[in-house]
Amino acid sequence: MRALVVLAFAFSAGFAPVAPGADDAVTLNFVNADIEAVVKAVAEITGRNFLIDPRVKGSINIISARPVPKSLVYPTLLSALRLQGFAVVEGDGVVKIVPEADAKQQGGAVSVGPLSAGGDRLVTQVVTLKFESAAQLVNVLRPLITPNNTIAAFPGSNALVITDYADNLKRIDRIIASLDQAPGAEPILVPVRNASALDIVALLNRLLADSGAAGAADAQQRVMIMADARSNSILVRADNPGRLARVRQLIEQLDTPGRPGGNMFIVYLKNAEAGRVAQTLRAMLTGGDGGGLQSGGSTLSPQAPLMGNTGQAGAVPSPASTAPLASAPLAGATSFSANGATITADPASNALVIMAPEPVYNNLRAIIEKLDVRRAQVFIEALIVEVSADKAAEFGIQWQALSGYNSTQTRVIGGTNFTPRGPSGSGNNIIDVAVNPGLVGQGLALGVTKGTVVIPGLGTITNLAFLARALETQVGANILSTPTLLTLDNEEARIIVGQNIPIVTGSYATTGNSTTVTPFQTFERRDVGLVLRVKPQITEGGTIRLVLYQEVSRIEDVSIQAGVILSKRALESTVIVDDTQIIVLGGLIEDRLTDGSDKVPLFGDIPIAGALFRYDARRRQKTNLMIFIKPTVLRTSADGRDITSERYEYLRGEQERQTPPQRLFWDDQTQPTLPRQGVLPGTPGADPTPPLLGDRPPLLPGANPPPPARP
């Protein structure tokens, strides 16, 4: 059937008429034709209904040298409109022609999955990704989308929502399909039948590290190897199939039966102690107790056992200085044989020498690998605060009449004699002052004297008739101790800050037949000061179980002939604390009031005037003691470096703050201070003062060097 085109449209638009061709073909010749006229012609040919936006203006050029099928007339119109900046939106039997910038908001077809439509139709497609991230893929595809159209990512379902022309969407679909691939090759499992998978992995890692394949920047050259001790297999993963096949071939070549008699192996430990691992293996193989393993009790003794307590009045070594370290390695090699295996621990090289069949060795090797792990450390900060106040006040008047003591006539003598704060001879009563005025006690003392008096047994003393004393004392103490400890998990640590004093426990003298007396004393030495002992244990949940013993002691009085008086405050507890949590372990709040009064009966109770016959003394003592603990788990070397750097810089700042000022006529003696971290003396930027150890700087493991200057 021939297509008929109304000639009126052709002549009115000023373009060549549409020549009839075959039954299903037409010849399109539109030269500088108005868009509305062309749309009317296409509507007549295709039978479609068009709705034109008022902003759609302009002319179109469409020239076909040969007749084209009717099915291509509409797509040709779409392409011509797109070149003019207009788009077509189909829906509800009406084709809307609008500016391209507004087309994406006018509705249109939505496609999920592969796109079937083509041409310059505006389509919205939803593409769900399987492997790649939709948010990251948006940045790759955005330059390929028409500027007036959109692309967005929905992270919830990892999908892309794209609005663009159908032909461009087909190209984007092919790009997405090529990018949305599984990441690299899947890992393969290589079973090991004769050798130990752990030993082969260690050997291959060294080989790959030397060749640069283990940490290569190019993912295609990178190879990852991991041992599964349970199944004695090796997991290998590589993006390059050639490297994957080569590593698998190496594993198969190394997995060969051992030579007859070649069943001796040496395992070097990285973290654990060879002696303790050997004891654990012995307990496992023999079913015993491990040959004297420590029980690992959960209590801490307040004081270490004392050494020998008898001897001349000389120094006895302190138990803290002579006791062996709890975590020291065994002095000699530990060896045992059980179940066809012989294991020897060499503490010098921290290694295990194992002689066993390969199947037994493989099982032992897997156990050793689990035991030889880096143990976490616990940094413990303690805060001990003691605030005390002591206030005392005394006021009293004492009388005596001794003028008639040496008279032969009958006279009356007497007086008041109060000793409120100490025995006779302490200088607080009137008799002590009369015998020796230089012994008068502290405070204000006023007296009235008249000559001297001779008293049998005392001699000549001052005739002191009146003594008034007044004293007020205020003593305050604010003691702050911040001991810190760093110890391994499940290892006991101890810190002592104080003195080691001797305490006499007995004395005697031997005379024999000679006249020379040989005195002999027995004593013990005791630590006095601050003692903190702690044993942390990190649980699987990350909490810390602390077994603590804390003691604060001091010398109170040394004037007593029987010995030394010590004051002691001790705390022993077991608690569970979260990492970096601050807890209070205990405290002491003591408030003591002592009110005493010595007086003459009846006269001392008289209002106002009774103070002449009374001696009052009052004292109040108040003590506050609190103990706080904060544990911090250090699992990596970086954690330890941070704490070390912080303490190092604090100490260095304190040294600089206490630098004495320069004097005009004095020689400038530079104070020795710690160097800056990571800077050796003598290098540019280092302090001019040499460190405390002479030419060698203090060795601080993990001191952070200053960052390099940016260009």
Side-chain angles (χ1 to χ4, degrees):
M1 180 179 190
R2 293 183 178 273
L4 300 179
V5 180
V6 180
L7 296 179
F9 292 153
F11 291 114
S12 63
F15 55 80
V18 180
D23 291 341
D24 294 328
V26 294
T27 301
L28 301 177
N29 288 310
F30 298 97
V31 179
N32 294 327
D34 185 71
I35 292 179
E36 293 185 5
V38 176
V39 171
K40 290 180 181 179
V42 174
E44 290 291 337
I45 297 174
T46 60
R48 295 176 180 267
N49 299 321
F50 289 91
L51 183 61
I52 304 176
D53 190 280
R55 292 171 293 175
V56 177
K57 301 292 182 179
S59 58
I60 295 178
N61 294 320
I62 302 176
I63 300 174
S64 61
R66 297 179 181 178
V68 297
K70 285 185 178 181
S71 58
L72 296 180
V73 173
Y74 179 66
T76 303
L77 176 64
L78 298 183
S79 300
L81 291 174
R82 179 181 176 183
L83 294 176
Q84 298 296 322
F86 305 115
V88 172
V89 180
E90 300 177 355
D92 297 333
V94 177
V95 179
K96 294 184 290 185
I97 302 177
V98 296
E100 187 181 55
D102 298 338
K104 57 181 175 292
Q105 301 174 354
Q106 298 293 329
V110 177
S111 173
V112 179
L115 189 63
S116 58
D120 292 321
R121 292 178 175 86
L122 200 63
V123 180
T124 299
Q125 184 181 16
V126 180
V127 182
T128 303
L129 303 180
K130 297 180 180 179
F131 305 103
E132 293 294 333
S133 171
Q136 295 180 359
L137 208 57
V138 166
N139 299 326
V140 178
L141 300 177
R142 190 180 299 278
L144 305 178
I145 304 297
T146 306
N148 288 326
N149 294 325
T150 61
I151 178 173
F154 180 63
S157 59
N158 196 33
L160 293 172
V161 180
I162 309 173
T163 299
D164 204 356
Y165 296 101
D167 286 344
N168 194 31
L169 284 177
K170 288 184 177 180
R171 180 183 63 150
I172 292 176
D173 283 345
R174 293 191 295 269
I175 296 175
I176 293 176
S178 62
L179 295 177
D180 190 24
Q181 300 291 334
E186 293 294 330
I188 63 172
L189 183 66
V190 182
V192 179
R193 296 178 176 83
N194 301 293
S196 171
L198 297 171
D199 292 342
I200 293 179
V201 166
L203 181 62
L204 291 177
N205 281 331
R206 291 180 55 187
L207 177 63
L208 296 176
D210 294 340
S211 62
D218 187 3
Q220 292 294 325
Q221 305 299 325
R222 193 178 305 153
V223 179
M224 296 181 60
I225 303 176
M226 185 178 298
D228 180 23
R230 185 187 63 82
S231 61
N232 197 36
S233 304
I234 300 177
L235 289 168
V236 185
R237 178 179 176 181
D239 292 341
N240 191 332
R243 284 191 172 271
L244 187 66
R246 180 56 181 162
V247 172
R248 181 168 189 170
Q249 184 180 5
L250 287 174
I251 295 174
E252 293 174 352
Q253 291 175 354
L254 293 173
D255 184 24
T256 56
R259 294 173 298 173
N263 56 351
M264 298 187 66
F265 309 91
I266 299 179
V267 181
Y268 293 95
L269 303 181
K270 300 177 182 178
N271 302 286
E273 297 177 9
R276 292 193 172 186
V277 174
Q279 291 176 347
T280 303
L281 295 177
R282 179 178 181 179
M284 180 192 66
L285 294 176
T286 61
D289 59 354
L293 284 173
Q294 297 180 358
S295 60
S298 61
T299 59
L300 301 177
S301 60
Q303 188 75 19
L306 298 172
M307 305 297 289
N309 295 332
T310 60
Q312 297 287 342
V316 176
S318 170
S321 62
T322 59
L325 294 176
S327 59
L330 300 179
T334 302
S335 179
F336 69 92
S337 297
N339 295 336
T342 300
I343 301 176
T344 301
D346 182 23
S349 59
N350 197 33
L352 294 175
V353 182
I354 302 176
M355 184 173 65
E358 289 187 352
V360 178
Y361 167 74
N362 293 338
N363 294 332
L364 293 176
R365 187 70 176 84
I367 297 174
I368 295 172
E369 186 72 14
K370 297 293 184 181
L371 296 176
D372 187 27
V373 295
R374 177 176 178 141
R375 297 165 63 184
Q377 302 182 92
V378 180
F379 181 71
I380 300 170
E381 299 173 273
L383 180 63
I384 304 170
V385 185
E386 182 177 359
V387 180
S388 61
D390 188 354
K391 296 182 179 181
E394 296 182 37
F395 180 78
I397 297 176
Q398 303 179 54
W399 304 83
Q400 68 179 4
L402 302 176
S403 300
Y405 192 88
N406 295 326
S407 175
T408 58
Q409 300 178 0
T410 302
R411 298 287 183 90
V412 177
I413 63 174
T416 57
N417 182 17
F418 302 132
T419 57
R421 295 191 63 188
S424 177
S426 61
N428 293 331
N429 55 45
I430 194 170
I431 299 297
D432 293 340
V433 178
V435 173
N436 186 1
L439 295 179
V440 65
Q442 296 179 349
L444 176 65
L446 298 175
V448 176
T449 63
K450 182 180 180 182
T452 59
V453 178
V454 178
I455 298 179
L458 296 179
T460 302
I461 67 173
T462 303
N463 187 9
L464 182 63
F466 172 83
L467 176 65
R469 290 191 67 250
L471 173 66
E472 182 176 355
T473 305
Q474 292 186 4
V475 179
N478 185 2
I479 303 173
L480 176 65
S481 300
T482 57
T484 57
L485 280 173
L486 178 63
T487 182
L488 282 174
D489 177 27
N490 210 27
E491 293 289 344
E492 180 181 336
R494 178 182 183 185
I495 185 172
I496 301 176
V497 181
Q499 297 175 311
N500 187 262
I501 63 172
I503 298 178
V504 177
T505 59
S507 63
Y508 57 90
T510 59
T511 57
N513 297 328
S514 62
T515 59
T516 303
V517 178
T518 304
F520 193 87
Q521 290 183 329
T522 61
F523 62 89
E524 66 179 14
R525 303 195 69 90
R526 184 175 296 274
D527 295 326
V528 177
L530 175 65
V531 179
L532 176 62
R533 303 180 66 187
V534 61
K535 184 176 182 180
Q537 183 180 12
I538 304 174
T539 63
E540 288 295 330
T543 59
I544 307 168
R545 183 176 182 267
L546 294 176
V547 182
L548 291 149
Y549 176 80
Q550 192 275 329
E551 175 184 316
V552 178
S553 58
R554 65 170 62 95
I555 301 174
E556 290 290 344
D557 194 354
V558 297
S559 61
I560 299 178
Q561 186 178 2
V564 180
I565 296 179
L566 303 177
S567 67
K568 176 180 176 181
R569 298 181 179 91
L571 181 145
E572 186 173 1
S573 178
T574 302
V575 296
I576 294 180
V577 191
D578 291 333
D579 187 14
T580 67
Q581 179 188 359
I582 300 176
I583 62 169
V584 57
L585 291 181
L588 170 66
I589 300 178
E590 181 182 14
D591 197 349
R592 182 185 302 175
L593 176 63
T594 303
D595 189 5
S597 179
D598 295 344
K599 61 184 178 180
V600 177
L602 300 179
F603 292 96
D605 296 330
I606 299 175
I608 302 177
L612 300 176
F613 305 94
R614 188 172 64 244
Y615 199 107
D616 297 326
R618 180 175 297 174
R619 184 175 185 178
R620 183 175 183 178
Q621 294 174 305
K622 189 172 184 179
T623 303
N624 294 332
L625 175 65
M626 287 291 177
I627 303 171
F628 300 88
I629 292 290
K630 176 187 175 183
T632 303
V633 179
L634 308 180
R635 300 188 182 274
T636 62
S637 58
D639 297 338
R641 283 197 298 268
D642 293 341
I643 293 179
T644 302
S645 300
E646 178 185 352
R647 297 300 187 271
Y648 187 90
E649 289 299 330
Y650 169 76
L651 183 59
R652 188 170 182 271
E654 288 295 314
Q655 287 183 338
E656 293 178 353
R657 188 176 60 85
Q658 297 179 6
T659 302
Q662 295 184 358
R663 303 300 182 186
L664 182 60
F665 301 103
W666 289 4
D667 235 355
D668 184 18
Q669 300 293 332
T670 306
Q671 178 184 1
T673 56
L674 295 171
R676 290 190 294 109
Q677 297 188 52
V679 180
L680 300 179
T683 57
D687 296 334
T689 307
L692 300 177
L693 301 179
D695 295 334
R696 296 181 58 188
L699 300 179
L700 288 179
N704 296 326
R710 295 184 177 180

